[in-house]
């Protein structure tokens, strides 16, 4: 008996109705992994695929809080504990009005394979809320975070489940949630990562996802005898991942020409240098303004309601959100000479866009490999918390570089199709799968 992708997906869809992003993420992994399972039938006997698509635990809860006008607001909180096969559940929290069960299940599912690729002992999870931090005062964000953690705290812990940031959750939110956890549980532990340096955080964690994505692009290019140096790059988003992607591209001698947010994108043909990047960091992280203000300040064009994929580039770094590159945009990228797509965001390319990259054999670094640097340094933050020590910037950055190199090697090992072509989709999916599957086999029917 062998797996049939269509039949397998029909069951997943029937069991998880309406969760389209989850179906999409499962389809991509299962499509890569079925041929590998056919060569290794023990995984079929162990029913690994059937088990791996079923979360170990799903937690959903009410989050009531009082806004500044004294009106009661109600949001929904979630934590998806997808797999603890190789370590405690680990993965971010997303606060965004679009958050729902299907989106968090896709993110938790991706996280399982991503975390396995990092070489560190972390299982996969994801959580969040449909709370929208935009336009809320610091006080309202704190009230929400405290209420959210009042329920979440009973489900997490430094040895069971360790959340972190994602869209809408940065240093400010992690601080409010850590404070509430500590107050209720009376423990100062590494229960969250992305903490500030003074209270248990790690150097390089804020930078890690963006830096790691650029290191991964550099590895892919190096294999072809090329590098980021001198390359024109388009970047979407303007949050944590986008900002540190630009910082690292600048350091390696490339030039980033776009940034975006949900309002539109800016095109700066002269490049977003470090001075302009500092302005963006202040605009987005302190003032919490819109990217349009960049266009006014530096007198460049702003394209309202559009995404940056029509701009000519050598490398594209999608760094905003899922399904932000469609098939036509992928074709435009290729037509304009793009040779590399490195995904900082999770699942930013629709399946038909991925087909376009693969048909054209460009260097395509899928999210679970390319953006694993963030969670990898979260893993290093956990290690430092356990040791009650802090490593230097150089130490953490060198470990991050080493981890991204090792993820790249794993992708090459499992994804090489010919002497000059690596299918990084297959490489990342199979490379991430093996360790989790072997651990599940060893641990019995769990
Ligand atoms: P931030 O909240 O810091 O920034 C998100 C950026 O993306 C903002 O510019 C935001 O614009 C834009 N954005 C979000 N949703 C949409 C949307 N629906 N349409 C258009 N633009 C949108 O988040 P991060 O930078 O942390 O996360 C970006 C991506 O990277 C996500 O896919 C996340 O899952 C992924 N990621 C993050 C990691 C991390 O360590 N933070 C690790 C690995 C992956 P606006 O302000 O207008 O909403
Ligand atoms: O998608 C991701 O890998 C993250 N948002 C980071 C998760 C983490 O635990 O650092």
């Amino acid at each position: 008996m062998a797996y049939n992708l269509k039949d397998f997906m029909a069951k997943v869809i029937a069991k998880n109705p309406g969760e389209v992003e989850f179906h999409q993420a499962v389809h991509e992994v299962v499509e890569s992994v079925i041929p590998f399972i056919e060569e290794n039938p023990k995984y079929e006997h162990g029913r690994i695929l059937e088990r791996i698509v079923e979360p170990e635990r799903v937690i959903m809860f009410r989050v009531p809080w009082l806004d500044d006008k004294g009106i009661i607001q109600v949001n929904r909180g979630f934590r998806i504990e997808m797999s603890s096969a190789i370590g405690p559940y680990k993965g971010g929290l997303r606060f965004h009005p679009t958050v729902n069960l299907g989106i968090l299940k896709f993110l938790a599912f991706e996280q399982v394979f991503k975390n396995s690729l990092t070489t560190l002992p972390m299982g996969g999870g994801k959580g969040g809320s449909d709370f929208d931090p935009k336009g809320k005062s610091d006080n309202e964000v704190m009230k929400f975070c405290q209420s959210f953690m009042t329920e979440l705290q009973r489900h997490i812990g430094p040895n069971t489940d360790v959340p972190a940031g994602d869209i809408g959750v940065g240093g400010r939110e992690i601080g409010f949630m850590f404070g509430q956890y500590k107050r209720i549980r009376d423990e100062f532990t590494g229960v969250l990562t992305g903490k500030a340096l003074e209270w248990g955080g790690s150097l390089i964690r804020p930078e890690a996802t963006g830096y790691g994505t650029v290191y991964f692009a550099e590895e892919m290019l190096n294999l072809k005898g090329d590098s980021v140096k001198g390359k024109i790059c388009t970047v979407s988003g303007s949050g944590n991942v986008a900002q540190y992607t630009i910082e690292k591209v600048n350091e390696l001698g490339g030039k980033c020409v776009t940034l975006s947010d949900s309002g539109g994108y800016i095109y700066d043909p002269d490049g977003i240098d470090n001075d302009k990047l500092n302005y963006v960091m202040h605009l987005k992280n302190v003032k919490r303004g819109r990217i349009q203000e960049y266009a006014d300040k530096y007198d460049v064009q702003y394209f309202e309601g559009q995404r940056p994929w029509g701009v000519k580039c050598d490398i594209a770094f999608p760094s905003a959100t899922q399904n932000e590159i469609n098939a036509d945009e992928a074709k435009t990228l290729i037509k304009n000479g793009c040779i590399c797509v490195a995904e900082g965001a999770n699942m930013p390319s629709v399946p038909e866009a991925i087909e376009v990259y693969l048909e054209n054999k460009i260097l395509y670094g899928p999210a679970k490999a390319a953006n694993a640097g963030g969670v990898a340094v979260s893993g290093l933050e956990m290690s430092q918390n356990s040791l009650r020590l802090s490593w230097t910037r150089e130490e953490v950055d060198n470990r991050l570089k080493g981890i991204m190199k090792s993820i790249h090697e794993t992708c090459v090992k499992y994804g090489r199709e010919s002497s000059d072509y690596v299918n990084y989709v297959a490489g990342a999916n199979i490379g991430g799968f093996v360790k989790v599957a072997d651990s599940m086999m060893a641990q019995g029917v769990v």
Side-chain angles (χ1 to χ4, degrees), residues 90-93 107 111 114-115 126 162-166 193 205 209 346 371-372 374-376 378:
K90 182 82 196 86
L93 297 170
L107 288 162
Q111 200 81 45
K114 183 194 303 192
N115 292 4
K126 199 88 186 189
V162 183
D166 192 78
T193 59
R205 177 62 190 90
T209 310
N346 284 307
N371 74 31
V375 75
S378 277

Side-chain angles (χ1 to χ4, degrees), residues 107-177:
L107 288 162
F109 185 75
E110 288 276 297
Q111 200 81 45
V112 174
F113 304 92
K114 183 194 303 192
N115 292 4
S116 164
L117 284 167
T118 66
T119 72
L120 302 175
M122 300 182 289
K126 199 88 186 189
S129 175
D130 58 357
F131 174 73
D132 186 0
K134 270 199 206 88
K136 304 288 191 301
S137 68
D138 284 349
N139 183 49
E140 288 176 322
V141 170
M142 183 179 75
K143 291 267 190 58
F144 171 80
C145 287
Q146 289 180 339
S147 179
F148 182 82
M149 185 51 86
T150 300
E151 173 58 31
L152 187 66
Q153 57 84 22
R154 72 186 82 248
H155 307 288
I156 63 175
N159 296 312
T160 53
D161 186 351
V162 183
D166 192 78
I167 291 175
V169 178
R172 174 182 62 169
E173 292 74 18
I174 293 290
F176 293 150
M177 288 190 277

Side-chain angles (χ1 to χ4, degrees), residues 184-351:
I184 297 174
R185 299 280 292 252
D186 194 21
E187 304 176 347
F188 195 111
T189 55
V191 67
L192 294 167
T193 59
K195 302 184 292 298
L197 279 182
E198 299 80 1
W199 39 276
S202 174
L203 286 159
I204 303 283
R205 177 62 190 90
E207 295 88 337
T209 310
Y211 279 18
T213 306
V214 180
Y215 291 149
F216 194 84
E218 182 77 353
E219 287 294 325
M220 292 196 289
L221 287 157
N222 284 174
L223 197 66
K224 292 272 184 189
D226 204 344
S227 72
V228 170
K229 193 171 166 91
K231 298 290 184 293
I232 305 292
C233 306
T234 47
V235 178
S236 65
S238 46
N240 173 270
V241 179
Q243 291 168 15
Y244 289 103
T245 293
I246 294 181
E247 187 166 286
K248 188 51 75 175
V249 166
N250 287 347
E251 195 187 316
L252 296 186
K255 182 160 100 173
C256 296
V257 294
T258 64
L259 273 171
S260 72
D261 60 22
S262 52
Y265 80 90
I266 61 100
Y267 173 44
D268 185 345
D270 292 338
I272 301 157
D273 62 20
N274 287 344
D275 283 346
K276 293 172 181 171
L277 180 60
N278 280 336
Y279 165 80
V280 172
M281 287 179 171
H282 188 265
L283 174 69
K284 285 289 170 182
N285 310 346
V286 182
K287 210 176 141 203
R288 300 185 191 273
R290 309 308 299 158
I291 204 62
Q292 180 170 17
E293 295 170 51
Y294 181 107
D296 301 336
K297 166 128 178 117
Y298 294 109
D299 196 21
V300 300
Q301 274 185 293
Y302 174 67
F303 297 85
E304 192 170 341
Q306 293 185 45
R307 304 191 286 221
W309 312 125
V311 173
K312 188 173 163 48
C313 68
D314 303 305
I315 309 175
F317 288 104
S319 314
T321 191
Q322 65 274 0
N323 293 332
E324 55 164 321
I325 303 183
N326 64 29
D328 286 340
E329 289 164 323
K331 284 180 198 152
T332 305
L333 282 170
I334 307 247
K335 189 174 79 189
N336 285 340
C338 175
I339 56 167
C340 176
V341 175
E343 295 185 334
N346 284 307
M347 206 168 77
S349 306
V350 305

